[in-house]
Amino acid sequence: MDRAIAITGLGIISNLGFNSQDYWENRKSKQNKSSEITTFDTANLKARKAYPISNFEPKAFIERRFIKPLDQVTKFCISGSGMAIKDAKLENTDKTRVGLVAGSKYHGIYSIFNIKETYHQGGVDEVSPVFFPGTVFNASGAQAAIEWKLTGPNCTVNTGMASGLTAIIKGVEYLLLDKATAMISGGNEMLFEYTMNKYDRLDRLSCGENDEEQCRPFDERRNGMMLGEGACYFSLESTESAQKRQVPVYAEIINYSYNYNPDEDSICESFIDCMQQALMVNGEKYNEKIDLIVADGCGDLQLDMIMAKAIQATFNHNPFITSNKGCLGHTLGASGAFNLLDGVLCIQNQAILPVQNLFDPILPINFVTEFKETTVKNVLITSFDPDGNNACVLLRKA
Amino acid sequence: MDKKVVVTGYGALACNGNNTDTFWDAILNGKDGYSDSHRYIDSEFPFKLCGLINNFEAEKFLTHDEIASLDRSAQLGLAAATMAIKKSELNINLIDKRRVAVIMGSTCGTNLAVEIKDFVKNWYTDREKVDTENYTQYNHSSIPNAISKKFGFKGVSYLEGTACASGNHSIGEGIDLIKLGKADVVICGGAEALNLLPHLGFNSIRSLASKKCAPFDKNREGIVIGEGSGVLVLESEDHAKARGGNIYAFLKGWSANCDAENITSPITDGTRCAQLIDICLANAGVNRNDIDYISLHGTGTPKNDETEANALRLSFGDNWMRPNVSSIKSMIGHTFGAAGGIEAVISVMAIQDQKMPPQINLSEVQKGLELNFVTETQKAAAINNVLSLSFGFGGCNIATLFSKYN
């Protein structure tokens, strides 16, 4: 990257809170927010718990009056992106130069099943035109643009579970090519019975009696991931733009990388390659400068080990490692954006957030299990999809 | 960032041609591919006409494992990409696969996987009987990833979502990846399989036609839903030259903006789309009076056609009747996320063959929507610059500009 991109606004819709202070405090105290799912039937599933958002009031964040046609993930997106815009004080800037990139893996799934169910039960004439827009993959990002009057580039990208971080990278690229002066980028996902059924049937979810059903990233006792939901958005602009507008900068993105691994036998090598590319900044290797890695550890038996081995192979100086999925669950397409949020907040607070439910690490590397105040200058953010999509972002203190 | 981007391969299939050559031949001859056979439509469904590829020869392009594991959208995308890569004569064993990216656009993605009868029946009765293959097929990112996996590409691979502008958007972002130095080669375009959802949705907003799609015609009724895929191989000019590849066109620039007004309706005065065209021309460094042909979005809905005609009048001013224009949706229907990819392919082939795709079903142009429509088949013309327009649901607008390579 020939210039740094500043993060000037944060927008958070999560089970840990709806602003950065609440998120930080809850994440710091390792509050386990997983609970039994009540919004759909889990009687025939092996897994029963997830990390739902229980007290989200969309009217607190969305200004339009008629919000009934919007599905939950769209409400998340509009709310999170709006929060980031306001936090960056972008409300009164020229909106023709402000765009939005959303990341999601299952966007629209609620509306898709809703319409199909209506059709199967009542026939074609029962399908409502009001709920159709939500089925389209880019609906949430487009609705956010409508709500906040953003007429710059607008799209939704999908790299599976790496979608959120990929969306942020696409936002950075629009800025590097001067196609916008500010980009609102992040990810969103909602908890839905199809995804729960899918991962349950594929034996990817943690399950069991009592405390067996628990998300334990990088722990020897891990037995699968747990699903979460939410939205996490960032306002991005050039450092010069932030200075000119005299707005505070949370952190700067100084490099990024993304790749794909077409070969199941080389997942680890591919992930290492992605990290190494992000760590090479204008010809300078940043490996030894990294203070913290926000890893995508989700409690999966194989993937956590692959990730831990990749980190071990990439760094010689034992940097700190954290993961947020013990507190958030796997928010799928939003996950990478939440990983970036952890990095940003650790830089801002000069402290490191711990990994929840980690007592017996799978490898002797520097996992942080208790909240730690320390110097945090450079952070590597990672995101990963088992289908082969990887993304990394390198953050530095402004 | 001053790298030039060229097109070195292309591949497409749609209802009027199941491979690039037959498709292009049908387009130039004004042949449509509509049929009333639709795998979902029962007797109660009021709209039967569609652009289904009845003779998709999946086994010509895909392995048995790929056919079994991939949703139809991903299969169509893989077929078009395979043809595009073959056309490019890229030596897969010699190129740096870490420097090859894949971007594919789609509106409905892999929705078909959760529409097939067995899934629907089991989902509502006994979920334990749902085939796990259904779960793995419902994976939108499998559309680009299937291409990366087949050819071993290791650059970024992602699905682009801007609804009906997705295919064109993926090509625009392909330019960006090369200009940013993130890739030497980008495989990009769009893919879409017919599925139930858009039929239900567009029927609910009264935008489906009961007869053949007739963009800009006085008696047009709306869209006819089609399926297909169109894919380009983009390279930096330096990379293409170094390997001795054939160059079929320059891809000089692109633009993106958003109406930010209404989720289903465009801004019909054309202002936003005129801005889009202006930005694209500036980005490409091409004078508007040098545009020879415009591939219209032209869906056949009243609001789209009005928007597009107004946009061209605003952007081209007194010369709005100068460029030749047509919408191939008159022949293949609206292929949603694939449309921009397929229209990119015809833009390149028009430059290559110096022939313009016609627009059919245009008996009497709607008053106020007059443009310089190409209605003649096999129309030869000097074509140096082509503008391709796509407007997506949610007001997402994309323009790309292709030029003759000298």
Side-chain angles (χ1 to χ4, degrees):
Chain A
M1 275 172 65
D2 60 356
R3 57 198 159 116
I5 297 299
I7 295 171
T8 54
L10 309 178
I12 303 156
I13 301 296
S14 79
N15 63 325
L16 299 181
F18 305 116
N19 58 61
S20 57
Q21 292 79 15
D22 288 351
Y23 181 92
W24 177 258
E25 290 303 325
N26 285 321
R27 175 79 178 81
K28 182 177 147 183
S29 62
K30 299 198 293 182
Q31 282 198 28
N32 187 341
K33 296 276 185 177
S34 70
S35 60
E36 296 273 344
I37 293 168
T38 56
T39 48
F40 52 85
D41 185 14
T42 57
N44 293 321
L45 302 181
K46 298 183 283 291
R48 305 285 170 83
K49 286 182 181 175
Y51 292 81
I53 297 174
S54 55
N55 51 351
F56 173 59
E57 295 289 345
K59 286 190 173 174
F61 307 101
I62 302 175
E63 291 171 5
R64 73 178 78 175
R65 282 185 184 175
F66 193 42
I67 63 169
K68 195 182 170 191
L70 306 175
D71 61 14
Q72 187 80 334
V73 73
T74 304
K75 291 173 188 166
F76 286 169
C77 175
I78 296 174
S79 305
S81 59
M83 210 183 290
I85 290 166
K86 288 169 186 166
D87 192 30
K89 298 181 176 61
L90 280 168
E91 298 102 309
N92 299 318
T93 53
D94 173 12
K95 300 289 175 53
T96 62
R97 296 275 297 161
V98 183
L100 183 144
V101 187
S104 184
K105 181 168 170 64
Y106 292 105
H107 181 274
I109 193 164
Y110 172 82
S111 294
I112 289 166
F113 275 75
N114 185 26
I115 280 196
K116 284 178 185 167
E117 196 163 326
T118 306
Y119 169 68
H120 290 303
Q121 288 176 356
V124 65
D125 291 331
E126 291 299 310
V127 174
S128 164
V130 174
F131 298 108
F132 167 51
T135 64
V136 184
F137 185 67
N138 69 326
S140 63
Q143 291 281 17
I146 291 167
E147 182 79 17
W148 311 119
K149 302 292 173 204
L150 312 178
T151 60
N154 185 293
C155 63
T156 301
V157 296
N158 186 334
T159 49
M161 297 176 188
S163 300
L165 204 56
T166 305
I168 288 153
I169 290 171
K170 297 315 293 179
V172 168
E173 289 182 340
Y174 276 102
L175 294 168
L176 291 175
L177 288 162
D178 198 30
K179 290 178 182 287
T181 51
M183 290 298 294
I184 314 304
S185 294
N188 34 253
E189 207 78 66
M190 72 176 278
L191 197 57
F192 185 61
E193 59 182 321
Y194 175 83
T195 24
M196 191 76 184
N197 273 267
K198 171 178 177 169
Y199 290 111
D200 189 77
R201 274 293 297 281
L202 298 175
D203 292 326
R204 302 299 289 271
L205 298 181
S206 171
C207 55
E209 298 302 316
N210 302 320
D211 75 334
E212 278 299 303
E213 188 170 352
Q214 194 78 267
C215 179
R216 296 185 173 86
F218 301 114
D219 190 273
E220 285 288 358
R221 282 182 66 205
R222 73 197 183 285
N223 62 356
M225 64 178 185
M226 290 173 74
L227 297 180
E229 63 179 351
C232 183
Y233 276 83
F234 301 85
S235 286
L236 308 171
E237 59 192 298
S238 68
T239 305
E240 297 74 34
S241 166
Q243 284 168 351
K244 198 174 162 188
R245 295 197 310 113
Q246 297 183 318
V247 290
V249 174
Y250 286 100
E252 289 178 322
I253 294 173
I254 57 169
N255 206 13
Y256 65 87
S257 66
Y258 38 29
N259 68 2
Y260 178 76
N261 169 45
D263 179 4
E264 285 175 12
D265 296 331
S266 58
I267 296 175
C268 189
E269 291 78 2
S270 172
F271 189 57
I272 290 171
D273 188 35
C274 190
M275 287 194 288
Q276 295 285 20
Q277 286 183 52
L279 290 164
M280 184 63 78
V281 184
N282 299 325
E284 185 186 355
K285 277 182 92 171
Y286 261 61
N287 299 48
E288 303 294 319
K289 291 184 173 184
I290 297 298
D291 303 304
L292 170 67
I293 299 157
V294 182
D296 219 13
C298 62
D300 186 275
L301 280 171
Q302 294 164 341
L303 301 179
D304 280 16
M305 182 56 87
I306 288 168
M307 221 166 297
K309 282 183 176 173
I311 290 169
Q312 190 179 43
T314 306
F315 298 94
N316 295 321
H317 67 298
N318 223 11
F320 295 119
I321 303 161
T322 189
S323 165
N324 54 27
K325 290 181 177 56
C327 298
L328 282 174
H330 205 315
T331 55
L332 304 175
S335 158
F338 278 110
N339 291 353
L340 182 67
L341 176 66
D342 274 26
V344 169
L345 294 178
C346 287
I347 285 176
Q348 194 197 17
N349 292 285
Q350 291 295 293
I352 295 179
L353 293 162
V355 186
Q356 185 174 326
N357 306 327
L358 174 55
F359 301 102
D360 189 5
I362 52 177
L363 281 181
I365 49 179
N366 207 357
F367 293 112
V368 178
T369 55
E370 295 298 332
F371 178 73
K372 186 187 290 286
E373 292 187 351
T374 185
T375 302
V376 185
K377 284 184 181 170
N378 298 302
V379 181
L380 182 69
I381 313 298
T382 69
S383 194
F384 173 88
D385 184 276
D387 277 357
N389 303 89
N390 304 306
C392 291
V393 162
L394 184 51
L395 269 185
R396 86 174 165 206
K397 187 173 181 288
Chain B
M1 291 190 194
D2 54 355
K3 286 180 183 171
K4 289 180 178 173
V5 179
V6 295
V7 180
T8 57
Y10 49 82
L13 68 167
C15 61
N16 63 349
N18 65 357
N19 62 62
T20 315
D21 292 337
T22 56
F23 161 73
W24 181 236
D25 187 61
I27 290 286
L28 282 182
N29 287 303
K31 288 183 183 171
D32 69 50
Y34 299 121
S35 61
D36 60 3
S37 58
H38 190 306
R39 64 177 81 87
Y40 297 109
I41 295 173
D42 56 32
S43 56
E44 292 173 21
F45 203 92
F47 296 100
K48 289 187 175 181
L49 196 66
C50 64
L52 177 74
I53 306 176
N54 284 304
N55 56 350
F56 174 45
E57 299 171 306
E59 65 285 354
K60 268 194 174 177
F61 306 102
L62 282 71
T63 65
H64 289 299
D65 283 350
E66 286 163 345
I67 293 169
S69 63
L70 294 172
D71 164 85
R72 186 174 168 95
S73 287
Q75 290 185 19
L76 293 171
L78 189 50
T82 302
M83 288 187 278
I85 290 164
K86 188 178 178 192
K87 180 75 181 172
S88 74
E89 297 179 339
L90 271 175
N91 188 330
I92 300 298
N93 297 319
L94 290 181
I95 56 173
D96 181 354
K97 292 178 185 171
R98 292 167 75 238
R99 303 278 302 160
V100 184
V102 178
I103 315 171
M104 289 293 284
S106 189
T107 297
C108 299
T110 50
N111 274 355
L112 198 54
V114 290
E115 286 183 359
I116 61 172
K117 280 181 184 169
D118 280 351
F119 174 82
V120 173
K121 184 182 154 200
N122 293 328
W123 178 258
Y124 292 112
T125 54
D126 185 356
R127 288 184 186 173
E128 286 184 16
K129 286 186 182 168
V130 172
D131 191 340
T132 52
E133 204 125 79
N134 278 126
Y135 286 126
T136 52
Q137 282 185 351
Y138 187 73
N139 178 9
H140 301 330
S141 58
S142 68
I143 297 173
N145 289 355
I147 299 166
S148 297
K149 189 166 284 201
K150 185 178 186 78
F151 296 98
F153 300 144
K154 297 180 178 178
V156 67
S157 176
Y158 65 93
L159 185 92
E160 180 68 69
T162 31
C164 308
S166 303
N168 215 6
H169 202 155
S170 72
I171 289 163
E173 290 193 350
I175 302 177
D176 289 356
L177 288 188
I178 291 172
K179 286 194 178 287
L180 284 163
K182 291 290 174 184
D184 297 323
V185 181
V186 184
I187 315 299
C188 49
E192 199 80 57
L194 269 176
N195 63 104
L196 181 63
L197 199 68
H199 274 101
L200 294 174
F202 282 100
N203 179 54
S204 75
I205 58 173
R206 305 288 175 250
S207 292
L208 284 187
S210 63
K211 59 185 185 184
K212 291 180 178 181
C213 180
F216 302 92
D217 190 82
K218 186 184 170 189
N219 296 311
R220 71 199 187 284
E221 290 187 350
I223 64 173
V224 174
I225 296 175
E227 66 176 359
S229 179
V231 173
L232 297 183
V233 176
L234 307 183
E235 287 181 68
S236 69
E237 185 186 26
D238 293 344
H239 189 269
K241 276 184 168 175
R243 71 174 184 88
N246 291 321
I247 294 174
Y248 299 108
F250 259 135
L251 183 44
K252 281 194 173 169
W254 77 290
S255 60
N257 71 5
C258 183
D259 287 355
E261 190 74 25
N262 187 293
I263 195 71
T264 52
S265 296
I267 299 174
T268 52
D269 68 9
T271 48
R272 197 79 76 213
C273 295
Q275 287 165 4
L276 175 88
I277 295 169
D278 295 347
I279 299 167
C280 183
L281 291 168
N283 183 254
V286 172
N287 188 303
R288 74 191 70 240
N289 293 325
D290 292 329
I291 299 294
D292 302 300
Y293 169 70
I294 300 174
S295 169
L296 299 171
H297 188 58
T299 59
T301 60
K303 287 187 176 176
N304 172 86
D305 295 356
E306 185 186 346
T307 304
E308 200 159 17
N310 285 336
L312 292 185
R313 289 169 192 220
L314 280 173
S315 181
F316 285 78
D318 293 341
N319 293 330
W320 59 274
M321 280 295 272
R322 188 194 168 279
N324 292 276
V325 304
S326 67
S327 166
I328 64 160
K329 290 186 180 70
S330 57
M331 289 176 269
I332 64 169
H334 195 343
T335 56
F336 298 118
I342 296 172
E343 285 152 18
V345 171
I346 66 113
S347 299
V348 172
M349 295 188 84
I351 290 171
Q352 185 65 19
D353 284 6
Q354 296 287 287
K355 285 183 178 173
M356 294 181 184
Q359 177 161 334
I360 64 168
N361 307 327
L362 191 59
S363 304
E364 185 181 352
V365 178
Q366 168 78 52
K367 196 177 175 188
L369 305 185
E370 296 86 355
L371 294 167
N372 186 14
F373 293 106
V374 179
T375 53
E376 182 188 332
T377 59
Q378 295 278 358
K379 184 177 178 181
I383 306 172
N384 290 310
N385 296 296
V386 175
L387 183 66
S388 178
L389 301 175
S390 301
F391 309 138
F393 206 74
C396 300
N397 309 310
I398 305 294
T400 45
L401 201 149
F402 299 86
S403 297
K404 190 176 178 186
Y405 185 77
N406 295 309

